[in-house]
Amino acid sequence: MTLPQPAVLLGGISPDVFLRDYWQKKPLLIRRAFPDLDNPLSPDELAGLALEEEVESRIVLTQGVTPWELRRGPFSEDDFKTLPERDWTLLVQAVDQFVPEVAELTRAFSFLPTWRIDDVMISYAAPGGSVGPHFDNYDVFLLQSHGRRRWKIGQHCDDQSPLLDHPDLRILRDFDEEQEWVLEPGDMLYIPPGIAHHGIAEDDCMTCSVGFRAPSHSEILLHYTDFLSQHLGDGQRYSDSDMRAANDPSAIDDQSIERLQRIVLELVQDKAALATWFGRHMTEPRYPELIEPQELPAGTLHEELQNGYGLMRNPSSRLAYRLENEEHLLLFASGEHCVLPATLLPIVQLVCNNDYLDCEALLGWKNNGEAWTLIEQLLAKGDLLLEGDDE
Ligand code: SIN
Ligand code: CO
């Protein structure tokens, strides 16, 4: 499939205009965003994935044993046979990790950082199927890949918006419809965080949701402080060598609180530590068990490459980098990091920005020991895989 250029994907506006006027601000409907879309997965193939143990899947029935009944996968073939004719949706999470053609869709969004993209969820709905009016806390591009779905958008929501009393699903009690459209295959709807939306299948249909990763403030604080605390010695403690005699021994005075503030502020002002934590956190894989350490090829790597092999990014791996200064860069690979000389920037960019690298792209680096070691380390860790080029 030919991926659309950004101007087509965004309906004629440039990425800069999209980011300025819509991203995280207001919804945008784009007709024929993917004009050459080949549905990357058939309904049967999606159902097949939902039978697998390691794949996260759910079925929502508009009216099952209870209203909005949620069933969790993995499912059996019999589970599908007993579903009604209409009014249910199958949702499969992170399909991009299992189907390269689905992962490829995300490359059309390369005007956004890859580490912001979380996963591609795909839903299949029987006519009338819906997961109810709801809002998400992250941006989402809803790409219609098969059949037609009616999308309604509504009000701005937040943590205070009233929800139905449901044990598992966050369905809005009220939905103030503002606009609605019927999406055809290739059409796409961008929805910013917090905007109520409600999709209802017109016919049997499929939707690919490209969702984004945005850590909550609570997650940032919790995980960053956890990361920092691993590097702090037990001897680094609250200290008050400047203390004066207490007027009231049970009172906690302002000076004590200011001493604490200085400790906390000093720790969060460490930009290098924050960047290291952030890169690790944003590249944490959803399924770490799918990134397994590997044996290096028996022959030399460049011989393997010359024999028609190339390097594929493990679909479960997440890679990103940060140029720290003129001398160093940090490479983040699936929740871990290493410090590299800045001279390796071109090979790091090559590895991070490509899903597949053939022999020609790599052989220019074979006499650079540091670059070659890096590739071997990523192979050994399982972030890169040696693959025949079957593109
Ligand atoms: C769906 O595909 O049915 C739901 C996707 C979403 O609303 O985020
Ligand atoms: Co949603």
Side-chain angles (χ1 to χ4, degrees):
M1 180 182 51
T2 327
L3 289 176
Q5 292 300 312
V8 174
L9 179 90
L10 298 171
I13 60 173
S14 68
D16 281 338
V17 171
F18 171 75
L19 293 171
R20 188 191 66 199
D21 296 345
Y22 296 94
W23 177 249
Q24 304 226 302
K25 298 168 197 79
K26 56 184 184 190
L28 176 66
L29 169 74
I30 308 131
R31 294 280 180 205
R32 294 175 54 76
F34 281 73
D36 305 319
L37 183 73
D38 287 329
N39 187 8
L41 205 66
S42 69
D44 276 350
E45 288 168 323
L46 187 74
L49 274 179
L51 309 180
E52 306 284 337
E53 193 69 43
E54 71 267 30
V55 178
E56 236 178 283
S57 58
R58 296 168 288 160
I59 290 175
V60 176
L61 291 100
T62 313
Q63 184 58 62
V65 178
T66 55
W68 306 114
E69 185 194 337
L70 172 73
R71 298 183 187 168
R72 293 182 199 277
F75 298 103
S76 67
E77 289 188 11
D78 281 348
D79 291 330
F80 286 108
K81 285 189 194 134
T82 53
L83 284 169
E85 289 271 299
R86 47 176 301 131
D87 301 340
W88 57 269
T89 308
L90 163 70
L91 304 116
V92 181
Q93 220 68 45
V95 180
D96 50 315
Q97 313 244 336
F98 306 100
V99 183
E101 290 78 9
V102 174
E104 200 190 328
L105 290 179
T106 64
R107 284 208 272 124
F109 298 87
S110 60
F111 59 94
L112 296 164
T114 48
W115 47 264
R116 274 284 263 133
I117 298 180
D118 192 15
D119 71 348
V120 183
M121 177 186 81
I122 302 191
S123 67
Y124 168 82
S130 169
V131 297
H134 66 280
F135 70 98
D136 300 305
N137 284 319
Y138 48 80
D139 310 81
V140 63
F141 288 93
L142 300 162
L143 169 64
Q144 195 61 22
S145 62
H146 168 78
R148 293 175 310 147
R149 185 191 285 272
R150 183 174 299 274
W151 278 106
K152 302 175 184 211
I153 53 165
Q155 73 277 22
H156 280 267
C157 303
D158 58 27
D159 293 340
Q160 312 310 319
S161 303
L163 302 179
L164 291 187
D165 186 15
H166 192 291
D168 305 298
L169 298 175
R170 296 169 62 248
I171 298 176
L172 286 164
R173 193 176 288 271
D174 311 308
F175 183 74
D176 307 328
E177 185 181 324
E178 289 180 6
Q179 267 177 302
E180 73 165 54
W181 304 279
V182 174
L183 271 71
E184 310 258 349
D187 294 349
M188 187 168 76
L189 178 60
Y190 163 72
I191 302 194
I195 295 286
H197 52 286
H198 187 189
I200 305 148
E202 291 274 300
D203 345 286
D204 73 308
C205 77
M206 290 176 84
T207 306
C208 302
S209 306
V210 180
F212 286 76
R213 207 174 253 211
S216 67
H217 290 189
S218 125
E219 193 181 336
I220 294 171
L221 208 58
L222 197 69
H223 291 255
Y224 178 52
T225 51
D226 183 45
F227 168 79
L228 267 186
S229 62
Q230 292 166 23
H231 305 279
L232 297 174
D234 210 32
Q236 286 172 270
R237 284 184 175 259
Y238 176 85
S239 64
D240 45 13
S241 58
D242 56 343
M243 188 162 61
R244 278 181 281 158
N247 290 334
D248 178 346
S250 55
I252 298 176
D253 63 7
D254 266 359
Q255 283 75 28
S256 311
I257 301 302
E258 282 155 16
R259 282 182 208 109
L260 272 178
Q261 272 184 319
R262 280 195 292 276
I263 298 173
V264 175
L265 285 176
E266 214 168 281
L267 290 174
V268 296
Q269 264 162 13
D270 186 344
K271 194 168 162 190
L274 194 57
T276 307
W277 167 76
F278 189 63
R280 290 167 61 111
H281 189 72
M282 295 307 274
T283 58
E284 259 171 30
R286 177 182 282 262
Y287 296 121
E289 63 281 12
L290 299 182
I291 307 171
E292 289 176 74
Q294 304 176 99
E295 299 245 341
L296 285 183
T300 63
L301 179 57
H302 84 264
E303 273 168 22
E304 298 284 342
L305 294 174
Q306 268 164 342
N307 288 339
Y309 280 84
L311 297 180
M312 184 179 106
R313 185 175 58 78
N314 182 329
S316 298
S317 292
R318 295 173 65 88
L319 302 174
Y321 74 90
R322 173 176 160 78
L323 195 57
E324 265 295 274
N325 51 42
E326 282 177 10
E327 276 153 39
H328 293 118
L329 66 82
L330 300 177
L331 173 64
F332 303 102
S334 305
E336 294 177 12
H337 82 282
C338 63
V339 183
L340 297 170
T343 48
L344 291 187
L345 181 63
I347 182 76
V348 165
Q349 288 173 319
L350 198 68
V351 169
C352 289
N353 290 329
N354 290 283
D355 291 339
Y356 185 84
L357 292 169
D358 64 14
C359 163
E360 246 168 73
L362 291 162
L363 279 183
W365 291 92
K366 87 170 192 302
N367 295 326
N368 181 324
E370 283 173 319
W372 218 244
T373 307
L374 170 66
I375 290 173
E376 286 180 337
Q377 281 169 345
L378 290 172
L379 266 170
K381 206 162 104 49
D383 286 306
L384 292 180
L385 305 170
L386 202 54
E387 279 284 319
D389 182 1
D390 51 9
E391 284 193 2

